[in-house]
Amino acid sequence: MHKEILPFPEKTIMHFFHTDHPRVLNLPLKYNIYGFQQNLSSSKQAHTKKGEAMPIIHVKDLRKTFKVYKREQGVLEAIKSLFSRKYTIKEALKNASLDIEKGEIVGLIGPNGAGKSTLVKILSGLLWPDSGEANIIGMTPWENRIKYVAHIGVVFGQKTQMIWDLPPIDSFYMNKDIYGTPDSEFTKRLKEMISLLEVEEVIKSPVRELSLGERMRCEIINALLHNPPLVFLDEPTIGLDVIAKDKFRDFVLKVNKKYKTTFIVTTHDMQDIEKLCKRIIIINHGQIIYDGPLEDIKKKYITDKHIEVKLSGKVGPFKFKGCKVLEKQGYMLKLELDTSKKPVQQLINYLLQNFDVADITVTDPPIEEIIKKIYKE
Amino acid sequence: MNLQGNWAFAKAGIKVWSAYRFEGIVMMLSTPISLIIYYFLWKSIYAYMGTATVGGFAFPEMVNYYILSMIVGFVTWSEVDKWMENDLIWGRMITGLLKPISFITWYMSFEIGINLMNILWQMIPVFLIGFVFFGLRTTTAFNTIAFLISIVFAFFIYFGMTYCLGLTAFWLKRIAGLRRLRRATLGFFSGSFIPLTLFPAWSQTIFHYLPFEYTKFVPITIYLGTITKAMIIKSLAIQLLWIAIIYFIAHLIWKRAIKRYASVGL
């Protein structure tokens, strides 16, 4: 579907809607938690008969603006603001459109304040957009909030959805009753998830006493126990250590594979994206500026590698074509290589031959750099 | 309505109450103390006035009034406006909004859970203490049943008004001042502080057209049997009417509030 990257955002969006007929799911969805999956699977069969994939999310032209109050710092300004306030209109989302198929893991990335969270909140039924349409698992999230949220799971890395004063296990059982998950299914899933995420000991202490890593692992269990076909993860790995991040990612991949759960992940962690997502959506200033395979964007935009070299001796004169010195300091050298001009191996060979190298680390430039690059085009 | 879900959340309320059992024990012990304070306060007022009745109440009746006031208070108690304000400011409101349960029943179930514990650990002990030590009298079967029904209705009126106030946090963010005003207004006009019969007649007429007295004063008079059977039935009907009006208003405010819900605490 996404064979090439088109440089202009408009084209990217058009590229997405190459079919004229709106791919809207007209499921005869009634609010019935037990019946839901049967509905879903029967309609899936109907679609497979036609030989067409079914989008689980179809969103068109979403717009959202916020009023933002502004004032200068200082006590006097604070008192002034009691009587008159200045505000500006911030366009958080401009004509966002996207389609997502069942079973995809899509990364939603963009710098702070780009509109990612706004998009996730609209898609999960928390915010009303100013305009636009959506059909997600057969519903418009903000209009059918109560029915809709029964079929999704949401994890916000920044806040808890479990009851603060109670152990996670109580929140799990509360959700079981709220979503009406059958006993046998609930017990099976709970057992499975607890062992996958290794939280046997954790789930019996009050949430407020858990470490961030422990809490986040419980958080995802809490969001997935009712087996939602669609899950939003908003910065799920923020503040986690490397091991916890790894566990979290492995878990998401396993659930995705086993239950065909669709995941939408917003993150600032490039590792999250690389481990989890085949497709990414880049958003900036409220606009979707790229939507397509991660591989393509890497080939096209990550032409630079950052190389950090530690030497056993002082840094001597350095010259290599296509390579920029970012920092030169005592025994350390930070380089940026344009891989379209020279491959990394050649630079490493050059370094090994000409310098007394103690250590070399090669990394991709941070995600912000890529977004900057894309946005410049 | 998702009753199983509502009960699940009421259970959470019970568990949260139990998580702070020390707080519960202190509250349980503090209620007889305030009863004793009111007892001696009114004893001295009666001695000072030198009359047999104040506002139509003889002294033992007045003591009965305060015991019943406390008992009704345990059932109607609601601080949903505080939960809502905090949830909004700290961005926790999403938890409720992401559950397949209507927003008002999300909070109401939780509050009912807490109040069930209040009934068990505070209301029943006060009833017993009242009977044994403070001369709380019994009443007819009809009045008892009507009283129990009217305190349930009173809970819904009290909760509905508090919830409406809580919704204003969507616009105002911090409503601590309004909440204080709410507590004072409800306390004063419902008859918690002093019986409404102590007010001038014209103000009592106004009270009949406001919902406040139906959260406390009316249930108490039903128990005390100071109004006729016909009046009791009428009072219960008016309570139902107020419930309908308040929840209709709450629904209207909610419809605007949810569209308003934006980057609050995100």
Side-chain angles (χ1 to χ4, degrees), chain B residues 12-253:
Chain B
I14 292 175
K15 286 174 188 163
V16 169
W17 195 100
S18 312
Y20 293 105
R21 57 193 168 170
F22 180 74
E23 167 99 346
I25 291 166
V26 172
M27 291 217 287
M28 201 171 142
L29 293 176
S30 72
T31 39
I33 294 172
S34 54
L35 210 52
I36 291 167
I37 292 170
Y38 272 121
Y39 181 88
F40 284 105
L41 177 73
W42 280 98
K43 202 174 169 128
S44 57
I45 291 174
Y46 274 85
Y48 177 78
M49 302 279 281
T51 50
T53 62
V54 175
F57 285 92
F59 180 63
E61 291 285 288
M62 190 61 91
V63 175
N64 269 264
Y65 184 92
Y66 277 99
I67 297 169
L68 289 166
S69 166
M70 239 169 222
I71 285 164
V72 178
F74 292 131
V75 181
T76 58
W77 179 90
S78 171
E79 280 203 323
V80 68
D81 48 358
K82 192 173 95 183
W83 305 124
M84 289 167 82
E85 181 191 10
N86 285 338
D87 285 356
L88 206 62
I89 287 170
W90 299 106
R92 288 191 300 247
M93 204 153 250
I94 51 160
T95 313
L97 289 173
L98 286 172
K99 295 279 188 284
I101 197 167
S102 85
F103 191 70
I104 184 166
T105 54
W106 165 257
Y107 281 107
M108 194 195 276
S109 311
F110 190 72
E111 209 81 310
I112 287 174
I114 288 180
N115 284 16
L116 283 176
M117 293 306 273
N118 280 341
I119 289 170
L120 190 64
W121 295 105
Q122 304 205 70
M123 182 179 130
I124 292 172
V126 167
F127 241 123
L128 295 176
I129 291 168
F131 280 127
V132 177
F133 298 104
F134 292 93
L136 178 64
R137 58 186 176 78
T138 52
T139 184
T140 66
F142 176 82
N143 284 43
T144 310
I145 291 165
F147 171 71
L148 292 177
I149 295 170
S150 81
I151 54 176
V152 173
F153 288 170
F155 166 78
F156 286 108
I157 296 174
Y158 195 104
F159 177 85
M161 288 195 289
T162 314
Y163 173 79
C164 285
L165 185 74
L167 284 176
T168 63
F170 278 92
W171 287 268
L172 303 169
K173 315 295 185 283
R174 287 212 181 268
I175 52 169
L178 276 180
R179 286 197 287 114
R180 191 179 293 175
L181 194 67
R182 187 270 296 170
R183 276 202 303 274
T185 313
L186 277 174
F188 197 72
F189 293 114
S190 70
S192 280
F193 300 153
I194 46 171
L196 294 181
T197 44
L198 291 174
F199 288 94
W202 60 267
S203 59
Q204 287 187 46
T205 317
I206 297 175
F207 294 158
H208 290 323
Y209 293 97
L210 296 173
F212 307 116
E213 67 171 27
Y214 293 94
T215 63
K216 190 158 265 181
F217 184 71
V218 169
I220 295 173
T221 50
I222 291 175
Y223 187 94
L224 291 175
T226 50
I227 52 173
T228 60
K229 257 189 192 181
M231 281 291 286
I232 290 174
I233 303 289
K234 193 182 156 197
S235 299
L236 292 178
I238 294 173
Q239 278 189 314
L240 272 179
L241 188 68
W242 274 117
I243 291 173
I245 292 169
I246 289 166
Y247 286 87
F248 180 68
I249 292 171
H251 183 70
L252 292 184
I253 305 177

Side-chain angles (χ1 to χ4, degrees), chain A residues 31 66 121 124 126-128 145-146 149-150 154 156 159-161 163 165-166 170 174-175 177-179 208, chain B residues 2 4-5 8-9 11-12 15-16 20 91 94-103 258-259 261-262 265-266:
Chain A
Y31 181 43
F66 291 122
K121 268 156 200 144
S124 54
L126 291 173
L127 287 186
W128 282 64
R145 180 183 66 84
I146 296 176
V149 294
V154 186
F156 287 107
K159 47 195 71 145
T160 181
Q161 288 189 61
I163 299 172
D165 292 316
L166 301 180
D170 279 329
M174 186 181 89
N175 275 2
D177 288 343
I178 288 176
Y179 293 101
R208 69 178 125 80
Chain B
N2 177 0
Q4 197 187 12
F9 205 53
K11 278 195 287 188
K15 286 174 188 163
V16 169
Y20 293 105
I94 51 160
T95 313
L97 289 173
L98 286 172
K99 295 279 188 284
I101 197 167
S102 85
F103 191 70
I258 185 61
K259 289 187 185 170
Y261 179 64
L266 303 184

Side-chain angles (χ1 to χ4, degrees), chain A residues 79-90:
Chain A
I79 294 168
K80 258 192 215 165
S81 77
L82 287 175
F83 303 101
S84 78
R85 284 189 187 182
K86 286 178 203 144
Y87 62 83
T88 48
I89 300 279
K90 192 193 167 203

